[in-house]
Amino acid sequence: MARLTHAQAQALILLLSASMWAVSMASRQHGFNNTGWSYKRPPCPQNSTSDTPNKIVVGGSQKWTFGINYADWALKNGPFYFNDTLVFKYDPPSKTNTHPHSVYLLPNLWSFLKCDLSSAKLVASETQGGGDGFEFVLKSWQPHYFACGGGAGFHCNNGTMKFFVMPMFRRRRY
């Protein structure tokens, strides 16, 4: 099996992101879907109705914890926009919390898929999720790949404690 070069991987990410955006825009509301297919739109997530940046707690009331599928959470709570703040809340290490969490920002899709934390940047240590949590502002138009480094990588490798977001531009209201 041939390996992708860095440039090919970036092109693939851009293509996937553009495809996801196009699909998200294909709704009857915007006049792109003329198939007659009926779809009842779910209630708008908290971050889709405001012209100003929002703070979104990752995982909602369940926070950043083991056993939640965060890829599914991100799909249900998106889209995410420029300057939105993701808040990671989790319990610090203690006698009762022997498997603490952390937050890594992975550099690319390949690292995300493989849960390869070797080139990832630790953005929140095991102790930074307590209290008001750790805040990460979505400042650039690129995919942001997040994963937990807890359990010696098990939390990411089991496929649940990782997700990615691609911030979008907010629509202007006239």
Side-chain angles (χ1 to χ4, degrees):
M1 184 169 150
R3 298 190 100 190
L4 294 177
T5 66
H6 183 70
Q8 289 171 325
Q10 286 182 326
L12 180 61
I13 291 168
L14 183 59
L15 177 65
L16 289 172
S17 298
S19 298
M20 290 183 345
W21 178 81
V23 168
S24 73
M25 298 307 291
S27 71
R28 298 188 102 188
Q29 173 182 344
H30 299 290
F32 292 116
N33 184 355
N34 297 315
T35 63
W37 178 65
S38 178
Y39 173 72
K40 183 176 180 187
R41 187 180 179 119
C44 290
Q46 67 180 10
N47 61 329
S48 66
T49 58
S50 173
D51 289 332
T52 59
N54 295 291
K55 283 191 178 184
I56 302 115
V57 176
V58 175
S61 62
Q62 296 178 312
K63 306 179 201 172
W64 186 238
T65 187
F66 186 74
I68 306 299
N69 184 329
Y70 289 94
D72 187 49
W73 171 85
L75 285 171
K76 290 179 180 174
N77 288 274
F80 300 92
Y81 297 94
F82 284 105
N83 295 317
D84 279 352
T85 301
L86 299 179
V87 182
F88 292 84
K89 293 185 175 188
Y90 48 93
D91 295 328
S94 67
K95 289 181 182 178
T96 58
N97 182 15
T98 57
H99 299 289
H101 304 298
S102 56
V103 181
Y104 281 86
L105 184 62
L106 293 101
N108 55 48
L109 178 62
W110 185 254
S111 296
F112 175 76
L113 293 173
K114 295 293 185 181
C115 287
D116 179 5
L117 303 177
S118 63
S119 335
K121 178 181 179 183
L122 178 67
V123 292
S125 70
E126 295 175 342
T127 59
Q128 288 178 278
D132 291 333
F134 167 77
E135 296 185 356
F136 185 92
V137 180
L138 300 171
K139 293 182 181 179
S140 58
W141 189 70
Q142 67 181 44
H144 293 78
Y145 302 100
F146 297 99
C148 178
F154 177 75
H155 294 178
C156 177
N157 282 314
N158 83 341
T160 59
M161 286 198 80
K162 66 179 185 176
F163 71 99
F164 78 94
V165 299
M166 179 69 183
M168 297 177 62
F169 293 104
R170 292 183 193 282
R171 278 194 255 167
R172 286 188 174 175
R173 298 182 195 264
Y174 297 99

